[in-house]
Amino acid sequence: MTNATLASALLEQFVTEMKTTGDMAQVMPKGYTPTWAEQQWFSLFEGRNEAITFGIVAFIVHQTVYYGRYLPYFICDYIPAMKQYKLQPDKEISNQQWWKCVRSLLVSQIFVQLPMMMFFLPAARMVGFECGAPFPAWLRVAFQVCVFFVIEDFYHYWAHRLFHYGIFYKRIHKVHHEHTAPFGIAA
């Protein structure tokens, strides 16, 4: 099989995965009674495009965790007694800097991260991750999470290195290094 044929076959498989519509009957083994959690999870996908649904669910969870973990620090910035615990208490950010960071962050999350999340499920299936019932054993989940962390860390490192190169730094990544005072949402 030539590289072009292999690439074409992989692309075809990916496109097929992108078009998959959720059908509980296909993911449930005959005679299997799903748990409550499995019923709730698979009901999200029933009759819907699985890749888009998974991407939206992942995006909502990501946004909730990202901004939720920042919220206590945001509140602490407005409590004078907490200022003594700042790493650089003499450096403050202005409201203008904060809003510039939030706007840039939202653009990145919507136009970079969201599309990547939309492609995650088909890509994960192509490398053998299963999304059927019964849910996998905790040991398998732990293994997959570890594999995901290694893949994500590898990708993140090299993407970050790329963003330090020429036009990517100037046009995209520079904002990440603009802030001289560390604050939670700029990370």
Side-chain angles (χ1 to χ4, degrees):
M1 182 177 274
T2 67
N3 286 344
T5 307
L6 178 61
S8 177
L10 287 173
L11 181 61
E12 186 177 328
Q13 181 183 357
F14 186 81
V15 169
T16 300
E17 288 290 347
M18 281 298 294
K19 295 178 182 178
T20 304
T21 301
D23 182 2
M24 257 184 159
Q26 288 183 340
V27 295
M28 298 289 173
K30 290 197 185 305
Y32 177 75
T33 304
T35 65
W36 179 85
E38 290 168 339
Q39 287 177 355
Q40 299 311 305
W41 177 251
F42 290 116
S43 71
L44 292 172
F45 298 94
E46 189 69 29
R48 295 181 182 98
N49 180 296
E50 290 181 326
I52 292 172
T53 303
F54 185 89
I56 290 170
V57 169
F59 187 72
I60 290 168
V61 169
H62 175 269
Q63 296 298 87
T64 302
V65 170
Y66 189 89
Y67 290 101
R69 65 102 183 137
Y70 167 63
L71 189 59
Y73 300 104
F74 178 76
I75 292 168
C76 285
D77 280 342
Y78 292 94
I79 301 173
M82 298 302 287
K83 190 170 183 158
Q84 65 182 327
Y85 299 108
K86 285 186 77 167
L87 294 176
Q88 297 175 339
D90 57 323
K91 293 186 178 180
E92 296 289 333
I93 61 152
S94 67
N95 281 340
Q96 181 183 2
Q97 289 172 312
W98 189 87
W99 279 109
K100 180 181 179 183
C101 181
V102 169
R103 279 191 300 274
S104 173
L105 185 60
L106 288 171
V107 166
S108 170
Q109 289 173 334
I110 292 167
F111 295 106
V112 177
Q113 293 174 0
L114 179 59
M116 287 171 41
M117 290 176 184
M118 295 295 186
F119 294 134
F120 175 78
L121 184 62
R125 283 184 171 157
M126 287 177 66
V127 296
F129 282 32
E130 295 178 22
C131 303
F135 282 170
W138 285 106
L139 190 59
R140 183 179 175 110
V141 171
F143 172 75
Q144 288 182 345
V145 167
C146 290
V147 169
F148 173 77
F149 281 154
V150 168
I151 292 169
E152 197 280 334
D153 197 48
F154 179 83
Y155 151 79
H156 190 97
Y157 172 80
W158 287 106
H160 191 238
R161 287 281 304 258
L162 177 67
F163 283 143
H164 278 259
Y165 176 76
I167 195 161
F168 296 116
Y169 182 80
K170 186 178 180 182
R171 304 261 183 197
I172 300 169
H173 192 62
K174 184 179 176 183
V175 70
H176 175 74
H177 294 282
E178 282 182 2
H179 306 288
T180 57
F183 63 108
I185 208 160

